[in-house]
Amino acid sequence: MSEYLDLSKLTKEAVQHELDLCLRQGVDEYLEQSPTPVRGSTAYFVIKNNKRLPVRAVVKRAIYKEKEQHGHVSSTHAYAKLRSLGFEVLYVPSHKGKKPSAEEKRIRQIDKRQRFIEKRQRYETTGWFRNGAAAKEAKRRAEYHCEACGFDFEKEYGPIGKEYLEAHHIEPLAIKKTDKNEITSDQLLALCANCHRMIHRLIRKDGKSWISVDLDTLKSHLKKRNVT
């Protein structure tokens, strides 16, 4: 029984060469003239110039050309490898009513794992311009250690973390009715990024009123981790 070929060192250039050759020769001739036995595919394809070309044959020939290796190539692995190299690949599932094969199930998992859609959207909003001097004073007061968990960015990340903390308003700015807010550093907490996100998750709206969260409340959620 032949072994599976190692696809880890397959190069994009070698695959591109085989795709160009397959287009020039045509799929049938390309398969017939292969130096190592290969066959076409009815489910797994790589797209080039709007044509469906056989994934497994292209990969197997590219490996043979570079390493002169003989062995078996899984359609699933070939499909995934070409996709990781940036090629456009296509999976055509079994006919309706036909039970999918194990390889088809693996391909479906690959597709689920890699296909995500993100969209650009534009928003117009009104926000607050924060007072940097007040934030700096709060961070100096905390000696650049998170006031909730004690995290020190400079200790963990070196120079890029020097004097880094985030300033949090104890009283949510959302409750302000005017366009100007006068504050002191005592109205700010100096927190690491994690604790800052967590304290915002604790803030909630009770009817029409925002409920603020103080430092002791946030710390109470850290006790289970032995943070004081």
Side-chain angles (χ1 to χ4, degrees):
M1 183 177 179
S2 58
E3 296 181 353
Y4 281 92
L5 295 177
D6 180 12
L7 306 186
S8 62
K9 295 183 179 180
L10 180 65
T11 65
K12 190 171 185 176
E13 292 73 19
V15 173
Q16 190 64 62
H17 173 80
E18 291 301 323
L19 292 175
D20 292 338
L21 182 61
C22 187
L23 284 172
R24 289 197 303 270
Q25 293 181 341
V27 173
D28 292 339
E29 183 179 346
Y30 177 80
L31 294 175
E32 289 176 1
Q33 294 187 8
S34 175
T36 179
V38 291
R39 58 187 176 87
S41 174
T42 58
Y44 311 96
F45 303 95
V46 55
I47 308 301
K48 175 76 172 179
N49 294 352
N50 295 320
K51 295 184 180 295
R52 296 182 181 186
L53 306 179
V55 161
R56 183 157 50 186
V58 167
V59 168
K60 194 169 184 180
R61 284 189 51 151
I63 286 287
Y64 179 83
K65 184 178 182 62
E66 288 199 331
K67 304 293 182 180
E68 294 193 0
Q69 294 180 353
H70 293 275
H72 181 65
V73 173
S74 161
S75 295
T76 309
H77 295 158
Y79 176 97
K81 182 62 178 180
L82 292 191
R83 187 167 193 164
S84 71
L85 289 175
F87 291 98
E88 181 183 358
V89 290
L90 174 68
Y91 162 61
V92 181
S94 301
H95 296 296
K96 187 175 181 181
K98 183 180 178 181
K99 186 177 180 180
S101 67
E103 284 205 342
E104 287 174 332
K105 290 180 180 179
R106 286 196 292 271
I107 288 294
R108 290 176 185 177
Q109 289 303 313
I110 291 171
D111 288 344
K112 287 179 182 177
R113 191 169 58 239
Q114 296 191 13
R115 292 182 181 177
F116 301 94
I117 296 175
E118 296 180 330
K119 296 181 179 179
R120 183 194 301 271
Q121 292 183 317
R122 180 172 293 175
Y123 297 93
E124 290 187 8
T125 184
T126 301
W128 287 89
F129 285 96
R130 312 303 173 85
N131 190 309
K136 287 180 180 179
E137 188 175 320
K139 295 173 187 179
R140 283 195 295 267
R141 177 195 70 219
E143 297 181 343
Y144 305 102
H145 290 70
C146 175
E147 291 186 288
C149 71
F151 189 85
D152 181 343
F153 277 94
E154 184 175 12
K155 180 180 178 181
E156 297 295 332
Y157 292 97
I160 63 170
K162 185 178 180 179
E163 297 184 359
Y164 180 81
L165 279 177
E166 298 181 1
H168 169 74
H169 288 77
I170 297 173
E171 187 177 35
L173 289 175
I175 69 174
K176 303 298 181 181
K177 303 299 183 182
T178 62
D179 291 334
K180 188 177 291 186
N181 180 41
E182 185 175 300
I183 64 170
T184 68
S185 63
D186 291 337
Q187 294 171 281
L188 299 175
L189 295 177
L191 302 173
C192 69
N194 283 345
C195 288
H196 196 186
R197 296 319 311 158
M198 291 302 100
I199 200 169
H200 274 276
R201 296 194 74 176
L202 290 170
I203 295 172
R204 60 187 175 85
K205 195 173 184 180
D206 184 9
K208 294 184 178 180
S209 301
W210 288 93
I211 306 300
S212 62
V213 178
D214 59 23
L215 186 59
D216 289 337
T217 302
L218 178 61
K219 282 185 174 182
S220 70
H221 288 267
L222 290 167
K223 286 183 177 179
K224 293 181 180 179
R225 295 179 51 240
N226 296 320
V227 178
T228 58

